[in-house]
Amino acid sequence: MNNIRKYKKESFLYLTLVTVFLLALTVVFWNRLFTNPSLLYWTLGIISFLFIYELATIILVNKQSKTTRPQQLVTLYMILKGAKIFLFLGVLIIYMLVVKEEAKRLILVAVALYFIYLLLDTLFLSWVEKGIKIQKSKDK
């Protein structure tokens, strides 16, 4: 499973670069995206939430790769992704109940951010599966 550890480092690098880029874009263009300054804080909060969740997923999958079978690893990964969507929707519902201002705009931005991080998820999962296949071929 050394390959998965290698992919963990690459995933962390891509995750950090994408997050820094998104934070920079949000801060630079926040006055064009939002008329209410509180929406900037919600957007930064969503980016932070997605970053922390993705980082925790990468670390947990890496730790579990040492002790579990490949099928359990993919199952764990998919459970984490299911939990992520429910937590993400919870954050959006809380926003809609609390703030209610420019909800459509923030939801569109949040969904776009979710799909950007989903792309990183897919990339990491493909690397994990690739590492499992390489490990199986080495074992034979």
Side-chain angles (χ1 to χ4, degrees):
M1 291 291 167
N2 289 331
N3 293 318
I4 293 176
R5 285 186 209 107
K6 178 185 118 182
Y7 296 135
K8 176 191 141 194
K9 291 178 185 175
E10 292 177 7
S11 296
F12 179 71
L13 176 67
Y14 289 134
L15 179 64
T16 304
L17 289 176
V18 166
T19 302
V20 168
F21 178 72
L22 289 173
L23 287 171
L25 277 179
T26 303
V27 170
V28 169
F29 295 111
W30 76 271
N31 59 348
R32 292 186 181 154
L33 289 174
F34 308 114
T35 57
N36 184 351
S38 70
L39 296 178
L40 171 68
Y41 304 123
W42 277 92
T43 304
L44 295 176
I46 289 171
I47 292 172
S48 300
F49 164 75
L50 290 171
F51 174 74
I52 291 168
Y53 197 90
E54 295 304 320
L55 184 62
T57 300
I58 290 170
I59 291 169
L60 184 62
V61 168
N62 183 51
K63 283 185 178 182
Q64 292 297 320
S65 69
K66 299 172 188 174
T67 59
T68 61
R69 295 179 306 165
Q71 294 83 8
Q72 291 174 334
L73 192 63
V74 173
T75 303
L76 169 70
Y77 189 78
M78 297 312 289
I79 288 171
L80 290 171
K81 295 301 113 191
K84 176 184 161 190
I85 188 81
F86 286 120
L87 288 172
F88 185 73
L89 290 174
V91 168
L92 289 181
I93 289 170
I94 289 170
Y95 171 78
M96 288 174 44
L97 293 174
V98 172
V99 178
K100 297 180 185 177
E101 293 178 22
E102 297 187 38
K104 290 179 186 177
R105 185 175 291 180
L106 183 77
I107 289 173
L108 287 175
V109 170
V111 169
L113 292 171
Y114 183 83
F115 281 118
I116 290 169
Y117 280 96
L118 184 63
L119 179 67
L120 290 173
D121 283 343
T122 306
L123 186 64
F124 180 66
L125 183 59
S126 68
W127 285 341
V128 168
E129 289 176 350
K130 190 178 186 181
I132 290 170
K133 288 178 185 178
I134 290 171
Q135 188 66 30
K136 281 184 181 179
S137 67
K138 286 182 181 179
D139 290 342
K140 290 182 181 181

